[in-house]
Amino acid sequence: MDRHFSQYFCRVFSSLLRSLLLAVSSRKSCSHLCFHHLNYKEPICDPGKVTSVKKFMDEDVEMIAQDLRNLYLSSAFQKFHPLGEEIDIIFDLETTFSDAVFQKKNTNNRTIGQLKFQDLLDELKYLTVIEGEAGKGKTTLLKRIASLWASGKHPSLSRFKLVFFVSLRSMQKGLYESICEQLLREPYSLDAPTFMKIIEVLERNVLFCLDGFDEFKPQDYPETARLFTKNAQYKHTVVLTTRTETLSQVRSYADLLVKIGDLSYSGAKMLIENVLEESLAESLLAQLEQSSTMKEMMKTPLFVVIACAIQMGDDDFIPRTQTALFHTLHKLMINKNHYKTRDLPEEYITESIRHCGDLALDGIFKSKFDFTIEDLSSQKEERLLLAAGLLNKYAAQRLKPVYRFFHKSFQEYTAGRRLHELVTSSSATEVTKGQMYLQRISTISDITFKYQNLLLYTCGSSKDAAAEVIKYIVGVKDHGTLLQFLDENGESAKVETQMQSSAEVEKLRFLNMNALVERGLTFVYESRSESALAPEFETFFQGKTLHINSHYIPDYLFYLFEHLPSCLRALGLIKLKFSGNPFSSNGHEITKPENENQSVTRALIPEPAIKLFYETPWNQTFNTLQITLRDFPDLKPKEIKCIGKICCSALSLILHISKSTGVTGKLDRILNTCARNVQDLVIESTPLTKEDEQQIVKMSQLKTLHLNNLQTEQREGGFIDGMHCLKNIEKLVLENVKMNDADVKKIAASLKNFSNISVLHLSQLMDLGNGTEQLVNELGTAVCGLQEIKLSSCCLTGRAVTTLAQNLHNLQKLDVLDLSGNDLREEAIDAVNRLVDQLTLVPSLKVLMLPFGHNVNSCFGKLAIQLKSLTNVTKLGLQKWSLNDLDLDALASLTVSGHLENLQRLDLAENSVTTEGWITFFGTLREIERGGLFKLTSLDFSSQTELYPEAIMVKEFVQWIVKLHFIHEVVLVNWMFDENDLNMIKNAKATQKREFQLRLTATYK
């Protein structure tokens, strides 16, 4: 009895000590920790005992840490089979890991810089999300982080007391149980409440490396999901990996977002040399040098390893596509292990492999990556698939074993292989089954993201399968979900309905269609069908847009130009971008050369671009071609000739020239044979000679002319003098172009010749006199078809605004009126009142940006009345109006009464609203059922003077702003938020999945 009581006493006392420790760690007063257990009446809380308890906790933490270090430094963790145990390739984290380059992104998913692996470890935030395509090495990366922590070799990781590498794919229980199962042991020395409380107390000193969100179901494991969905509350440091197709589900939570870049050539070389024997490595590297296709695939670590596996079995094979790579591996695995199943009939082997394909295919559509014995037809089939290496068995510490493909990509290949068999089968039943699978790919987003690899491997399996896929996706019109910002209450239909009126959605649809074209090109290339499927692909490309970056020309474009030139004519628009600086911001992230000096003597237009357009034997004419020349300090004669040839190949040409002094004085040489085909010309930050200007006005077919940031003096006989020749002009945009009052009067006189003009933008024109008054007079008399007038920051006078007001009745097609940036001074009240009085004469007005001046806010009452009739307004600008609390209250009343419901952009910059005014404003809008001004995408509420928000104001602001589903930019210059305010905004953004950018400093917009 005494022995049992003693054991009981020890357990209870141990539990009490832990409770005491955790309470102390939670900053509870020791005086409140007195307890009476087992009739103890004296409190045990004294300094000596607290020290003892803290030591007791430290010992627990050290025990866990030591167990983790032992695992991470063991061979079982450090060495693994990347292709399954049937392929004799072993990775060692110490020798096969190659430091990757990461693309650092903002929450809008735009690249903002590069990081090396060491930099990444230094910059780990509360929640770091690592995006990577299949096979890019996400799992290896997290294992490497755990290994480095255990070894103590990286100082940036020394701040973490504990590091948990958790495979989300392998989770089947709660977080504690999964940690014990995957990393420690079962049962563990510490019970679940104690273990989890220790983790809670350590907060940011615990690092969770969570691998494989794309194969994780958050609803099944809410405790684990809260590590990243509620990171601000749980306060642990988390690194989460995911594939690109599921990034949007977690992007809004991220404090740091990075994408794993391509494996460098030196990295691939090192990997090959570490995996293969010297002779085999040399052979594979020789093939790598000869094949551009293979070089492209070797940018993905998984494909490097597969190539090594194939090289071990067949040193003559050169893979041409990803499908061929997996096909050869699949064949190698079956043939290599055939001796293990010699007793089984060939028919049974074939049927089992087919059933394996069914498992893979069904799993892709059900997001199922773990299979059980019930999914297999028999133990005999289990034996066959395991022997061949097609499936791997995981039984350790499980009641029931699970079966998996060695990598998700291999499951996708196996599924694509099976789908190809179904859609090309001679059996009507199987064809119907295959078509039913295709019909489950019902949106463009499904094609471009969710099922892109499945379709790629289907097309790569045969040209007949590719034909079926292309025929099907031509008919897919629904874009699907474009934004993963739906509320957790499941009101997706309501949100999608709201989205239809947002201009942001059109941008997303445009990006989605661009991705669809790129996917189509990869399907073309993967099928290796040459011209056999030209009719199908012509139908697919009909009317679509193709983007080509001269510094990133993939093999599939050469394939398109060589084998399917007729498809080029089918495209509605081809956008071709030439950049003299390959490292400038562009659509593709381009890795700098490993040897920085390589770029010193390079041509400004890369050889692959010249080869594609100048040497490839295509003979088709493009419908519309848009060429961008950016950052060219010089152009060589061969480059000018190449650009000229490309320009001549289009029936309609759009030319953008930016920051390219190399074009100065050479515009006529580029366009001398195709000037008649130029429809749109945009030139910015590029000096023009008199000859260049004369070349411009010779282009009589020009429909759009946009000149920006040209500070050369206007010359006699130059552009301004010859502008009247552009009789077909429809859009004229002059921004920050140096000119004087006489030049403006010449432009005014030329307007009489522009019978088709619909857009006139003049902005940032300084030191002008009364020439704008003559210009405005012509707008309302000689030019009545205008849809857009922008006269921003161009020295407008009160008389000019009054004249425009008098002529508004002649401009009934007007959609855009932007007079912002003009200081009317003492004339402001009279001129603006006259203009506001006439606004109802242009009922289709969508954009209204008004000038400012002395006491102009007195006009707001009248403007508010007129806005009730302007139901189409999407953008309202009252910058520098010094709006006050009463004005803001009137704006809120407008919204409450159902007006301004289409407003998407609101600029109230440099207002004089007080804290009390904002509290009332936000509170009023928040009470509206779906949020006042709920379609806003951008707002500027910057204050004239420093504004110190009270806590209640911040709360009201946050509760309103998170109801705006489409907001992406919030400018609050001079709002003096403290750290608590910013944390409240950040937490609300994460909780409600909002991705807006908050700007608190004045920058040029």
Side-chain angles (χ1 to χ4, degrees):
M1 176 67 72
D2 291 342
R3 182 171 59 85
H4 291 303
F5 177 79
S6 176
Q7 291 175 344
Y8 171 74
F9 178 84
C10 288
R11 287 198 303 271
V12 172
F13 188 70
S14 175
S15 176
L16 291 175
L17 284 174
R18 287 197 176 96
S19 299
L20 174 63
L21 163 67
L22 297 173
V24 170
S25 300
S26 300
R27 300 179 179 87
K28 294 180 180 178
S29 170
C30 284
S31 62
H32 294 112
L33 297 178
C34 305
F35 47 86
H36 303 270
H37 199 78
L38 297 176
N39 295 322
Y40 280 95
K41 299 191 183 229
E42 294 295 324
I44 69 168
C45 184
D46 61 54
K49 285 188 170 58
V50 169
T51 302
S52 173
V53 171
K54 185 175 187 306
K55 180 180 178 183
F56 184 80
M57 178 202 171
D58 288 342
E59 289 175 354
D60 282 343
V61 173
E62 181 54 33
M63 177 185 71
I64 300 170
Q66 189 57 50
D67 287 341
L68 290 171
R69 282 193 288 265
N70 290 341
L71 171 68
Y72 297 151
L73 296 177
S74 68
S75 294
F77 187 85
Q78 293 269 327
K79 299 177 181 180
F80 55 96
H81 293 82
L83 304 182
E85 294 183 1
E86 292 302 321
I87 300 294
D88 189 23
I89 292 179
I90 298 177
F91 263 22
D92 187 330
L93 291 176
E94 289 297 319
T95 59
T96 55
F97 183 83
S98 176
D99 287 356
V101 175
F102 301 87
Q103 308 295 335
K104 188 176 181 181
K105 295 185 172 186
N106 61 20
T107 51
N108 288 332
N109 210 30
R110 296 189 180 95
T111 301
I112 57 175
Q114 286 190 342
L115 293 174
K116 293 183 178 180
F117 178 62
Q118 301 297 326
D119 302 325
L120 175 66
L121 297 183
D122 293 338
E123 289 196 28
L124 286 182
K125 303 293 185 182
Y126 299 154
L127 173 58
T128 299
V129 174
I130 298 178
E131 168 201 0
E133 300 289 352
K136 284 295 186 182
K138 300 182 292 295
T139 301
T140 306
L141 173 69
L142 292 193
K143 295 188 77 171
R144 177 65 170 165
I145 292 174
S147 174
L148 280 175
W149 169 79
S151 68
K153 292 180 179 178
H154 201 288
S156 295
L157 298 175
S158 61
R159 58 191 166 111
F160 300 114
K161 299 288 187 182
L162 301 172
V163 173
F164 297 105
F165 170 81
V166 179
S167 171
L168 297 179
R169 180 187 197 185
S170 301
M171 290 199 74
Q172 44 182 354
K173 301 174 184 175
L175 183 60
Y176 168 76
E177 292 80 7
S178 295
I179 289 174
C180 292
E181 177 192 338
Q182 295 184 30
L183 306 176
L184 302 172
R185 55 186 175 274
E186 293 182 306
Y188 195 57
S189 309
L190 300 176
D191 58 23
T194 304
F195 189 94
M196 297 307 293
K197 196 65 181 177
I198 289 173
I199 291 176
E200 178 186 337
V201 169
L202 290 176
E203 294 187 341
R204 299 293 181 197
N205 292 321
V206 177
L207 172 62
F208 283 95
C209 296
L210 304 180
D211 183 44
F213 173 78
D214 49 285
E215 300 181 50
F216 178 64
K217 296 181 179 179
Q219 66 274 17
D220 292 346
Y221 306 98
E223 181 185 30
T224 303
R226 283 194 291 269
L227 289 174
F228 48 88
T229 61
K230 304 287 185 182
N231 183 264
Q233 291 95 314
Y234 285 79
K235 299 181 180 179
H236 300 308
T237 306
V238 177
V239 180
L240 177 69
T241 63
T242 185
R243 281 172 61 162
T244 300
E245 57 263 34
T246 51
L247 174 65
S248 58
Q249 298 177 35
V250 293
R251 191 173 67 223
S252 62
Y253 303 121
D255 298 289
L256 174 63
L257 176 60
V258 298
K259 179 178 181 180
I260 300 180
D262 292 336
L263 184 65
S264 66
Y265 175 80
S266 61
K269 183 174 182 290
M270 185 192 80
L271 197 55
I272 291 169
E273 290 173 342
N274 284 331
V275 169
L276 294 178
E277 295 178 359
E278 185 177 352
S279 59
L280 292 178
E282 289 176 355
S283 175
L284 183 55
L285 289 171
Q287 295 178 31
L288 188 60
E289 286 293 335
Q290 297 169 8
S291 171
S292 59
T293 301
M294 197 166 173
K295 282 182 180 177
E296 190 65 28
M297 285 193 287
M298 293 302 102
K299 294 177 180 179
T300 300
L302 175 65
F303 297 155
V304 176
V305 179
I306 293 174
C308 289
I310 295 171
Q311 189 74 8
M312 292 163 66
D314 182 1
D315 60 6
D316 293 328
F317 173 74
I318 301 178
R320 301 173 68 191
T321 65
Q322 291 182 33
T323 310
L325 201 67
F326 276 115
H327 173 78
T328 307
L329 177 66
H330 186 277
K331 183 178 177 181
L332 179 67
M333 293 166 74
I334 292 173
N335 292 342
K336 178 176 177 288
N337 297 295
H338 182 67
Y339 72 93
K340 298 178 182 179
T341 55
R342 281 178 298 189
D343 57 313
L344 298 177
E346 286 297 324
E347 296 80 6
Y348 182 80
I349 293 176
T350 302
E351 183 59 34
S352 294
I353 293 173
R354 187 179 297 121
H355 183 231
C356 183
D358 289 328
L359 285 180
L361 184 56
D362 203 46
I364 293 298
F365 284 98
K366 292 180 179 179
S367 296
K368 181 177 180 180
F369 309 102
D370 288 354
F371 304 93
T372 64
I373 191 65
E374 287 78 14
D375 294 315
L376 305 178
S377 63
S378 65
Q379 290 186 339
K380 188 164 60 172
E381 182 173 275
E382 176 200 26
R383 174 193 157 207
L384 169 67
L385 297 179
L386 292 177
L390 299 181
L391 289 178
N392 293 323
K393 183 177 182 178
Y394 299 86
Q397 297 182 331
R398 297 173 183 270
L399 294 175
K400 296 177 65 176
V402 297
Y403 303 84
R404 301 184 192 132
F405 295 88
F406 73 80
H407 195 279
K408 186 178 178 181
S409 291
F410 190 61
Q411 180 174 343
E412 289 172 324
Y413 162 74
T414 307
R417 175 190 177 98
R418 179 58 180 150
L419 184 55
H420 137 259
E421 292 173 350
L422 291 173
V423 297
T424 59
S425 173
S426 58
S427 165
T429 302
E430 289 210 327
V431 170
T432 301
K433 183 179 178 181
Q435 290 296 328
M436 288 176 64
Y437 275 118
L438 283 178
Q439 288 165 15
R440 293 167 72 174
I441 305 173
S442 57
T443 69
I444 294 174
S445 294
D446 285 346
I447 298 166
T448 56
F449 290 101
K450 192 172 184 180
Y451 300 114
Q452 58 169 310
N453 291 324
L454 170 66
L455 295 175
L456 180 79
Y457 295 129
T458 304
C459 290
S461 296
S462 77
K463 63 182 180 183
D464 292 335
E468 294 299 320
V469 168
I470 296 300
K471 287 176 186 176
Y472 173 74
I473 65 176
V474 163
V476 177
K477 306 298 182 183
D478 182 11
H479 279 267
T481 299
L482 297 170
L483 290 175
Q484 297 290 341
F485 57 26
L486 305 185
D487 293 333
E488 292 183 0
N489 59 15
E491 295 182 355
S492 58
K494 178 179 177 181
V495 176
E496 291 287 351
T497 300
Q498 295 173 3
M499 286 175 62
Q500 301 309 312
S501 59
S502 171
E504 295 303 307
V505 175
E506 290 306 315
K507 294 179 183 177
L508 291 169
R509 286 177 174 166
F510 177 75
L511 294 173
N512 210 20
M513 289 304 295
N514 291 345
L516 179 62
V517 171
E518 188 172 332
R519 295 293 176 268
L521 286 169
T522 59
F523 296 163
V524 169
Y525 183 73
E526 198 75 12
S527 71
R528 311 302 289 183
S529 55
E530 298 188 350
S531 60
L533 300 181
E536 287 82 357
F537 283 116
E538 279 186 53
T539 304
F540 171 77
F541 287 122
Q542 193 68 45
K544 293 183 173 67
T545 300
L546 171 63
H547 292 254
I548 303 175
N549 189 310
S550 67
H551 288 281
Y552 178 76
I553 298 183
D555 286 350
Y556 60 66
L557 283 178
F558 286 98
Y559 190 86
L560 175 68
F561 273 60
E562 182 177 354
H563 297 291
L564 296 165
S566 59
C567 292
L568 298 171
R569 183 66 182 270
L571 290 161
L573 173 65
I574 296 177
K575 290 187 175 182
L576 173 60
K577 183 172 182 178
F578 291 107
S579 175
N581 176 12
F583 313 125
S584 63
S585 173
N586 52 58
H588 281 276
E589 299 123 357
I590 301 160
T591 305
K592 293 185 179 182
E594 294 170 28
N595 180 357
E596 298 276 345
N597 295 324
Q598 287 177 2
S599 62
V600 174
T601 59
R602 63 177 173 79
L604 292 177
I605 296 182
E607 279 300 318
I610 294 177
K611 181 179 178 182
L612 179 67
F613 287 98
Y614 199 64
E615 298 177 9
T616 305
W618 53 273
N619 55 6
Q620 295 292 316
T621 302
F622 306 135
N623 283 322
T624 303
L625 177 63
Q626 177 179 313
I627 296 179
T628 298
L629 299 174
R630 183 181 179 86
D631 294 322
F632 279 94
D634 190 20
L635 279 175
K636 301 180 186 301
K638 183 179 180 180
E639 293 171 329
I640 293 175
K641 191 173 182 180
C642 177
I643 294 172
K645 180 191 176 184
I646 298 170
C647 290
C648 292
S649 64
L651 297 175
S652 177
L653 180 64
I654 301 169
L655 183 59
H656 289 194
I657 302 172
S658 176
K659 299 179 181 178
S660 296
T661 54
V663 174
T664 303
K666 303 171 186 174
L667 197 59
D668 59 330
R669 292 164 57 190
I670 294 174
L671 300 176
N672 61 352
T673 58
C674 60
R676 65 184 182 278
N677 296 337
V678 181
Q679 302 290 307
D680 297 356
L681 179 62
V682 179
I683 301 177
E684 59 179 351
S685 304
T686 301
L688 297 177
T689 63
K690 180 178 179 179
E691 290 72 22
D692 291 332
E693 294 184 11
Q694 290 173 341
Q695 175 64 45
I696 291 173
V697 296
K698 287 179 184 177
M699 293 186 257
S700 58
Q701 300 302 311
L702 202 63
K703 293 183 178 180
T704 297
L705 177 62
H706 184 157
L707 302 180
N708 182 15
N709 195 25
L710 301 179
Q711 294 302 306
T712 51
E713 294 284 349
Q714 295 301 323
R715 309 167 183 83
E716 185 176 351
F719 162 70
I720 295 293
D721 288 340
M723 183 186 291
H724 62 276
C725 298
L726 303 176
K727 296 183 179 180
N728 290 295
I729 202 75
E730 297 176 3
K731 297 180 181 180
L732 179 60
V733 179
L734 304 177
E735 297 179 328
N736 195 21
V737 176
K738 190 169 185 178
M739 63 179 69
N740 56 34
D741 209 42
D743 295 325
V744 174
K745 291 178 180 178
K746 290 178 183 178
I747 293 174
S750 297
L751 289 176
K752 299 175 183 179
N753 297 313
F754 302 158
S755 58
N756 297 325
I757 193 168
S758 61
V759 174
L760 176 66
H761 290 186
L762 301 179
S763 62
Q764 299 178 63
L765 307 181
M766 305 303 170
D767 303 322
L768 300 182
N770 60 3
T772 55
E773 295 175 10
Q774 180 178 336
L775 178 74
V776 168
N777 187 60
E778 293 293 341
L779 293 181
T781 55
V783 186
C784 299
L786 281 170
Q787 297 174 18
E788 295 185 19
I789 296 177
K790 180 179 180 180
L791 302 173
S792 174
S793 300
C794 59
C795 304
L796 281 185
T797 63
R799 182 183 298 177
V801 173
T802 300
T803 301
L804 181 61
Q806 294 169 348
N807 292 330
L808 272 186
H809 65 281
N810 291 325
L811 296 167
Q812 295 188 15
K813 294 182 180 180
L814 200 63
D815 291 332
V816 175
L817 179 59
D818 183 353
L819 308 179
S820 61
N822 291 292
D823 186 357
L824 305 186
R825 298 183 174 82
E826 302 297 331
E827 299 175 311
I829 296 177
D830 180 62
V832 172
N833 268 327
R834 289 174 182 269
L835 180 64
V836 169
D837 283 337
Q838 304 302 313
L839 288 178
T840 53
L841 297 175
V842 282
S844 63
L845 201 63
K846 295 179 180 178
V847 175
L848 178 61
M849 309 286 285
L850 293 174
F852 63 96
H854 183 65
N855 287 335
V856 71
N857 69 310
S858 63
C859 304
F860 186 77
K862 182 178 289 187
L863 175 63
I865 295 173
Q866 297 294 69
L867 286 172
K868 294 179 180 180
S869 303
L870 300 175
T871 58
N872 296 312
V873 172
T874 61
K875 182 178 180 180
L876 177 63
L878 305 175
Q879 192 179 66
K880 296 186 179 181
W881 268 47
S882 300
L883 296 181
N884 56 36
D885 291 6
L886 292 176
D887 300 326
L888 203 63
D889 189 51
L891 182 63
S893 298
L894 263 181
T895 305
V896 170
S897 60
H899 302 291
L900 300 179
E901 63 178 0
N902 291 316
L903 199 64
Q904 296 175 19
R905 303 186 70 179
L906 178 60
D907 188 347
L908 307 180
E910 298 195 39
N911 63 74
S912 300
V913 181
T914 67
T915 297
E916 291 74 19
W918 286 119
I919 292 173
T920 303
F921 179 72
F922 295 135
T924 301
L925 296 186
R926 184 172 57 81
E927 291 300 320
I928 301 175
E929 181 180 356
R930 56 183 178 181
L933 306 176
F934 73 97
K935 292 182 182 177
L936 279 182
T937 62
S938 173
L939 63 85
D940 189 340
F941 290 168
S942 300
S943 179
Q944 263 187 344
T945 58
E946 291 184 352
L947 179 71
Y948 291 86
E950 297 176 5
I952 184 63
M953 174 182 159
V954 178
K955 179 181 177 182
E956 292 287 353
F957 166 71
V958 168
Q959 291 180 345
W960 171 65
I961 200 74
V962 296
K963 296 181 78 172
L964 308 184
H965 287 288
F966 315 112
I967 195 74
H968 66 78
E969 181 185 39
V970 177
V971 183
L972 302 173
V973 175
N974 278 335
W975 286 41
M976 312 307 289
F977 288 123
D978 62 26
E979 185 176 352
N980 290 331
D981 299 333
L982 295 174
N983 283 335
M984 184 185 296
I985 296 171
K986 175 185 172 183
N987 293 341
K989 286 172 62 178
T991 302
Q992 298 298 322
K993 298 185 180 180
R994 299 293 179 262
E995 298 185 5
F996 62 83
Q997 295 290 315
L998 177 63
R999 181 159 65 82
L1000 303 176
T1001 57
T1003 58
Y1004 177 73
K1005 292 189 291 182

